[in-house]
Amino acid sequence: MTLALDIFRALADATRLRILALLRSMELSVGELAQVLGQSQPRVSRHVKILCDAGLAERRKEGSWVFVGVGSAAKVAPVVAALDAWNGIEPDHWAVADAARLAAVRADRAASAAMWFEANAGQWDAIRSLHVAEEQVEAAISDVLGEAPIGRLIDIGTGTGRMLELFAGRAKYALGIDRSSEMLRLARAKLSERGLVNAELRQADLYALPLGDDEADAAIIHHVLHFAQQPGAAIAEAARVLSPGGRLLIADFASHDREDLRARDAHTRLGFSDEQIAVWFASAGLAPARTETLEGGELTVKLWLGRKLGSPLHEVKAA
């Protein structure tokens, strides 16, 4: 009874009902919520705190920004089911206005992302020119993962969210993590455009993933490991969150001697050998499952797939 009272008190305000509806569409910063609602940030922050205290919303800090998403499904699902039923009886005029302003937020995100890419295109193109086309790498990753539903996916070092763009649609739930708040904002813009509502983004470190043991069925580390000071520790942490039988896919460079990449692009490791990856897999409790080599250009791209030892991965049924 106490829980129900807390939830109904939290929802006894039109603005908070609007906030909950907006968060169902996408995760938003407090500033973006204020923009859509046409209210001051301090006032919106007070409403958000009430929703969070009731467990209907969650706040997550990324640098100087605070993002807000829906709370636990156990508390939110019954509420939104009732709201949807009532909205079917009487149309909500606020929903139309808020949807229009939300579209403007999406457009702002897309414009910011486009400006960033335009300013940094030279750096990205320089790296890509050294190896086979990214389309070939992505096709190979898709082939290695197979066509079956993926289950619970985590993209470690998600960057601009490309792996989530490609594979979140096949996942029951997808989480992208990155240390860079700027990269996460870019990823949000792309995922919003794609309408991937099952994909979530969090600021976190690859050595301390925001998941408990056995909470993921698949993990991807795509062109990230060569930046890691401790690749073995990153692999072990990815293995920790995998369920028994879960898969870790690493896409990175084979060993090379392009020393200039250390100074110019902050590469900590100049690629990896099969033997190195095998040792780290074994230490993390992963069995090598497949290796692919993509030659072309000065750098060779490798794909290493490991499967966590234990019972076979549970069957994942398509939604």
Side-chain angles (χ1 to χ4, degrees):
M1 183 66 72
T2 302
L3 175 62
L5 284 171
D6 290 341
I7 289 175
F8 281 118
R9 287 193 186 105
L11 293 174
D13 180 274
T15 295
R16 294 197 286 275
L17 284 171
R18 291 168 66 191
I19 290 173
L20 184 60
L22 290 167
L23 296 180
R24 291 176 66 191
S25 298
M26 58 192 288
E27 195 177 60
L28 293 160
S29 72
V30 172
E32 289 170 333
L33 280 170
Q35 178 183 338
V36 174
L37 296 168
Q39 300 180 16
S40 69
Q41 287 199 34
R43 184 175 182 183
V44 171
S45 293
R46 287 194 293 273
H47 285 304
V48 166
K49 183 180 185 303
I50 292 170
L51 290 172
C52 289
D53 289 344
L56 297 172
E58 294 178 349
R59 285 171 294 196
R60 187 157 43 251
K61 196 172 189 307
E62 287 181 13
S64 60
W65 290 42
V66 176
F67 284 91
V68 187
V70 294
S72 66
K75 292 183 179 179
V76 175
V79 170
V80 299
L83 292 174
D84 287 344
W86 293 328
N87 286 337
I89 298 173
E90 182 178 338
D92 181 7
H93 69 281
W94 280 115
V96 178
D98 288 349
R101 296 192 186 100
L102 192 61
V105 167
R106 286 195 173 100
D108 287 345
R109 287 184 177 184
S112 296
M115 289 175 61
W116 189 92
F117 277 115
E118 184 175 349
N120 293 274
Q123 175 187 349
W124 285 72
D125 290 343
I127 293 293
R128 289 175 175 173
S129 68
L130 297 176
H131 60 77
V132 295
E134 200 62 35
E135 292 81 1
Q136 291 177 255
V137 178
E138 293 172 356
I141 291 173
S142 182
D143 179 63
V144 169
L145 288 177
E147 297 181 358
I150 294 173
R152 301 162 297 179
L153 171 67
I154 179 169
D155 182 25
I156 301 169
T158 195
T160 61
R162 179 58 178 165
M163 292 296 102
L164 295 180
E165 274 192 280
L166 292 174
F167 302 113
R170 290 164 47 189
K172 178 180 179 181
Y173 164 78
L175 171 66
I177 71 103
D178 205 287
R179 287 182 61 185
S180 168
S181 57
E182 182 65 31
M183 281 295 191
L184 290 173
R185 282 196 283 275
L186 293 169
R188 274 194 185 85
K190 296 180 73 174
L191 299 183
S192 294
E193 287 182 318
R194 293 289 300 273
L196 294 170
V197 295
N198 69 323
E200 184 181 352
L201 296 164
R202 294 192 201 176
Q203 187 174 33
D205 193 280
L206 77 169
Y207 303 115
L209 299 175
L211 291 176
D213 296 351
D214 306 338
E215 287 191 354
D217 299 309
I220 298 174
I221 306 179
H222 175 247
H223 283 321
V224 170
L225 207 61
H226 59 258
F227 292 110
Q229 296 287 342
Q230 298 176 287
I235 289 173
E237 176 64 0
R240 177 189 66 79
V241 303
L242 289 174
S243 60
R247 298 172 294 166
L248 169 63
L249 175 61
I250 298 171
D252 217 298
F253 300 123
S255 297
H256 62 86
D257 58 3
R258 286 293 302 262
E259 192 67 36
D260 59 303
L261 294 180
R262 289 192 199 272
R264 191 187 73 191
D265 298 301
H267 289 204
T268 301
R269 300 294 183 114
L270 300 184
F272 306 95
S273 67
D274 292 343
E275 292 74 22
Q276 283 177 305
I277 297 295
V279 168
W280 287 325
F281 272 10
S283 179
L286 298 168
R290 184 170 170 181
T291 303
E292 294 291 335
T293 303
L294 305 175
E295 296 180 338
E298 296 182 48
L299 300 181
T300 295
V301 176
K302 299 278 295 192
L303 305 182
W304 295 278
L305 181 69
R307 189 178 289 275
K308 188 170 182 178
L309 299 173
S311 302
L313 182 67
H314 61 268
E315 284 294 321
V316 181
K317 298 184 181 296

